[in-house]
């Protein structure tokens, strides 16, 4: 299952990352994802495509040959690997569609294993699929440990979503990862924001990066929650973003977490 997750994160769909591995005789013999290449931003997200429309972009832009299960079977067939009697492990989804079942039956797959509580973790039709934690990193002032607060936010979000991205933990921290180029930071964070359903942004301190992330979120039709501490002055430009669903002025870190828990529960 860990191998399926790794495959999905490395080469899967930017919107609903899915990976599958086929195991036979105790060994991984084939791997598949739901996208042939991983683009920076889902083309359907960029175009504001509604559910059920514009799926031709999946094959034209992302080189999708099928969902992860079908692709794992196709990859085995291309390499002339016999997977008959093997098992398939699926990460990132909670069920298999008919074409995938047909491909697995044809290949002779015995069992399909899902992540524990997969329906709750990956059912984006009834839950938040991905959350991005935004906030100042390069310049931080005041008595609050903002990075720890961002991590605390991620922790409470884990009760509602299994896919949470925290920039300073993702390899682009300005202090821990100074060698990462500006272009790489832009590409990575742009992709992560645009593929998220919800952005939780600290706007109590001025940050060019947060401002850019809020605009990317608007273009990607992602929901936004803004938060700051009582007494801090907040940009009207940020507060006026049409995708802002809620604004929280917290008394302290504990109050913030309590309010966020209620707000996210209502959005789910």
């Amino acid at each position: 299952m860990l191998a399926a997750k790794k495959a999905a994160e490395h080469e899967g769909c930017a919107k609903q990352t899915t990976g599958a591995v086929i195991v036979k005789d105790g060994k991984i013999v084939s791997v598949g994802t739901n996208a042939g290449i991983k683009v920076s931003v889902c083309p359907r997200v960029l175009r504001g495509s509604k559910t059920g429309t514009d799926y031709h972009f999946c094959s034209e832009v992302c080189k999708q040959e099928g969902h992860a299960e079908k692709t794992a079977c196709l990859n085995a067939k291309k390499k002339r690997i016999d997977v008959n009697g093997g098992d398939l492990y699926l990460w990132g989804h909670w069920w298999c569609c008919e074409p995938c079942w047909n491909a697995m039956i044809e290949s002779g797959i015995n069992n399909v294993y899902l992540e524990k509580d997969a329906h709750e973790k990956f059912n984006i039709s009834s839950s938040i699929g991905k959350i991005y934690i935004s906030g100042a990193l390069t310049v931080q002032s005041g008595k609050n440990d903002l990075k720890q607060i961002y991590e605390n936010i991620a922790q409470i979000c884990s009760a509602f979503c299994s896919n949470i991205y925290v920039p300073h933990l993702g390899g682009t921290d300005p202090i821990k990862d100074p060698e990462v180029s500006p272009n790489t930071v832009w590409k990575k964070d742009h992709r992560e924001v645009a593929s998220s359903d919800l952005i939780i942004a600290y706007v109590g301190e001025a940050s060019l990066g947060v401002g850019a992330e809020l605009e990317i979120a608007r273009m990607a039709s992602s929901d936004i929650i803004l938060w700051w501490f009582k007494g801090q002055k907040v940009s009207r430009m940020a507060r006026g973003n049409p995708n802002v669903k809620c604004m929280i002025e917290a008394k302290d870190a504990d109050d913030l977490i309590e309010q966020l828990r209620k707000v996210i529960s209502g959005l789910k």
Side-chain angles (χ1 to χ4, degrees):
M1 193 63 75
L2 289 175
K5 179 180 180 182
K6 183 178 180 180
E9 293 175 342
H10 176 70
E11 199 179 23
C13 170
K15 188 62 177 176
Q16 184 167 354
T17 307
T18 310
V21 300
I22 298 175
V23 176
K24 185 175 180 180
D25 299 327
K27 296 180 180 179
I28 295 173
V29 294
S30 186
V31 178
T33 67
N34 59 338
I37 61 172
K38 189 162 187 174
V39 298
S40 295
V41 186
C42 172
R44 295 182 63 250
V45 168
L46 280 179
R47 291 164 176 78
S49 303
K50 296 181 179 180
T51 299
T53 66
D54 292 337
Y55 285 114
H56 60 93
F57 289 121
C58 300
S59 57
E60 293 173 3
V61 178
C62 302
K63 310 303 180 185
Q64 183 187 88
E65 294 185 272
H67 294 159
E69 309 96 289
K70 183 177 180 180
T71 304
C73 294
L74 286 173
N75 289 340
K77 189 173 183 179
K78 290 176 184 177
K79 296 178 181 179
R80 298 183 179 180
I81 297 172
D82 181 15
V83 296
N84 184 49
D87 296 325
L88 185 140
Y89 291 76
L90 177 65
W91 186 91
H93 219 318
W94 72 100
W95 63 286
C96 305
C97 66
E98 185 175 356
C100 287
W101 279 121
N102 290 339
M104 289 187 288
I105 291 170
E106 182 181 348
S107 297
I109 298 298
N110 269 352
N111 301 296
V112 176
Y113 293 93
L114 303 178
E115 176 86 346
K116 184 179 180 181
D117 300 324
H119 184 270
E120 294 180 6
K121 290 182 178 180
F122 305 122
N123 186 356
I124 61 175
S125 65
S126 62
S127 65
I128 301 168
K130 183 176 180 181
I131 298 176
Y132 185 99
I133 311 298
S134 172
L137 289 175
T138 303
V139 178
Q140 296 190 22
S141 59
K143 62 181 181 179
N144 294 296
D145 183 349
L146 289 176
K147 289 183 180 179
Q148 184 59 58
I149 292 175
Y150 301 154
E151 292 176 32
N152 292 345
I153 292 173
Q155 181 62 38
I156 69 115
C157 286
S158 65
F160 306 95
C161 174
S162 64
N163 194 356
I164 303 163
Y165 186 77
V166 185
H168 76 269
L169 300 179
T172 58
D173 185 276
I175 307 301
K176 293 190 301 182
D177 311 293
E179 75 286 353
V180 180
S181 71
N183 184 254
T184 299
V185 173
W186 185 88
K187 285 182 178 179
K188 183 174 179 61
D189 288 355
H190 188 286
R191 179 179 66 242
E192 298 295 344
V193 173
S195 61
S196 295
D197 302 291
L198 175 64
I199 315 299
I200 301 177
Y202 170 60
V203 290
E205 295 185 18
S207 169
L208 292 173
V210 172
E213 289 167 348
L214 292 178
E215 183 58 16
I216 294 168
R218 183 193 66 79
M219 293 176 64
S221 300
S222 303
D223 290 338
I224 299 171
I225 295 175
L226 300 181
W227 70 271
W228 63 89
F229 290 115
K230 191 172 183 178
Q232 292 180 319
K233 294 183 178 180
V234 180
S235 165
R236 289 176 295 175
M237 185 73 171
R239 289 184 286 139
N241 188 311
N243 282 46
V244 173
K245 300 302 180 184
C246 179
M247 291 183 277
I248 297 175
E249 184 179 44
K251 294 182 292 185
D252 52 36
D254 291 337
D255 181 46
L256 167 68
I257 295 301
E258 184 59 31
Q259 290 197 56
L260 270 176
R261 184 178 284 110
K262 293 178 181 178
V263 170
I264 298 172
S265 180
L267 289 175
K268 186 173 182 291

